[in-house]
Amino acid sequence: MCAVLIGAAARGCFEARVRELLERCDYVFVATIKAMLDVRRSIFDGYERLHQVLLRVVQHDPVCRRLMTVPGVGPVAALRSRWAYRSLRFTRSRTVGAHFGLTPRRHQSSTSIDFEGRITKQGDANVREALCEAAASLLMRVRMWPALRAWGLRVAKRTSMLCAIVAVARKLAGSLRRMDQRN
């Protein structure tokens, strides 16, 4: 048996680095690791094929293309929110965030206790996840300064980045629903 420390490998060079380090190890260890690397490569290839299919679907859907014009919203968030809005009927855009569990819980008892807790996490978890990823991308990766990002960073300064991500995701849900409604 051979213990190998890979160390830091640049993006895209992990497999080459592992194969380079395997030259000094015994046959059984090398065969096992090479099989695992082949499985890893096939998983990445399958993921890449599925991602290309997703991009083609989004490319041919005009509503998804319109939703992706919002900073931070990528193909996954656009497609998930599009199908969620299509399958549900909302009377107001403000209720969309509550439907997907992006509003804080209320703890109330008579007049003495009244405070907000964590988010409710009701509704579709996949849509909530996509909206939170879009909000995090908007707050941390987007280079331009739309009003929603400035508002979210002010919320993050006041509370925390996680609270800001949920708040921006709640606003994004309403905005994307209005954009989807204009179809």
Side-chain angles (χ1 to χ4, degrees):
M1 202 62 144
C2 178
V4 178
L5 293 176
I6 297 169
R11 178 176 281 194
C13 300
F14 176 78
E15 189 172 337
R17 174 76 176 137
V18 170
R19 290 189 189 274
E20 172 190 325
L21 292 173
L22 287 178
E23 294 172 357
R24 300 179 297 242
C25 296
D26 65 343
Y27 173 75
V28 174
F29 185 71
V30 170
T32 305
I33 297 299
K34 283 186 178 180
M36 290 164 68
L37 287 174
D38 292 341
V39 169
R40 178 181 180 268
R41 172 63 34 217
S42 66
I43 288 172
F44 280 152
D45 291 343
Y47 169 78
E48 187 61 35
R49 285 194 306 270
L50 286 174
H51 189 67
Q52 292 303 319
V53 169
L54 171 77
L55 291 178
R56 273 190 240 117
V57 167
V58 170
Q59 182 181 15
H60 294 298
D61 188 356
V63 176
C64 285
R65 283 198 316 257
R66 185 178 333 127
L67 294 178
M68 286 180 11
T69 60
V70 176
V73 177
V76 174
L79 194 61
R80 280 185 178 171
S81 58
R82 168 146 166 72
W83 292 113
Y85 299 146
R86 286 287 169 222
S87 62
L88 302 167
R89 300 285 179 210
F90 297 103
T91 56
R92 299 167 66 175
S93 295
R94 193 170 32 175
T95 62
V96 176
H99 180 79
F100 294 125
L102 293 168
T103 55
R105 290 182 194 269
R106 298 290 302 185
H107 297 280
Q108 293 179 330
S109 174
S110 182
T111 58
S112 60
I113 298 174
D114 183 17
F115 67 93
E116 293 181 346
R118 297 173 186 257
I119 61 172
T120 59
K121 294 187 180 178
Q122 299 297 312
D124 191 353
N126 292 324
V127 176
R128 183 172 54 252
E129 176 187 355
L131 289 170
C132 286
E133 285 178 6
S137 175
L138 174 67
L139 289 175
M140 293 186 265
R141 291 186 163 263
V142 172
R143 299 250 184 250
M144 49 198 259
W145 278 85
L148 186 57
R149 181 177 188 210
W151 176 81
L153 290 177
R154 283 194 308 269
V155 170
K157 194 176 197 181
R158 220 174 36 238
T159 58
S160 70
M161 185 56 89
L162 289 177
C163 289
I165 287 171
V166 172
V168 170
R170 186 170 50 246
K171 283 201 178 241
L172 266 178
S175 299
L176 294 177
R177 186 258 180 185
R178 282 188 295 276
M179 290 176 76
D180 184 49
Q181 194 178 25
R182 287 186 211 152
N183 188 9

